[in-house]
Amino acid sequence: MSETKQTTIRFAGTIYHRLELASQRTGLTINSIVTVACLDWLRRHEEQLSLWEKKTDPRHESE
């Protein structure tokens, strides 16, 4: 099994309330909803992230 790590995320009250509602309506835990959202964001931005890693994204030339 690969190494696992954990993190803690703090949300503004309004965002947390929305997550609570989504959790109640879907039966998923808040952690599950947040994890899926993060994985989806990473998938949708995979190409852009690889450009940042290679430092070929023109928006990050000064870094």
Side-chain angles (χ1 to χ4, degrees), residues 38-59:
C38 289
L39 291 172
D40 182 56
W41 187 93
L42 288 168
R43 181 189 53 78
R44 288 184 290 118
H45 293 84
E46 186 173 9
E47 182 179 337
Q48 184 178 12
L49 291 169
S50 70
L51 291 175
W52 290 352
E53 186 176 290
K54 296 174 186 173
K55 298 191 185 266
T56 57
D57 188 333
R59 292 175 297 171

Side-chain angles (χ1 to χ4, degrees), residues 4-11 31 34-35 38:
T4 62
K5 296 184 179 187
Q6 71 182 50
T7 186
T8 301
I9 303 171
R10 297 182 191 278
F11 295 101
N31 284 345
V34 172
T35 299
C38 289

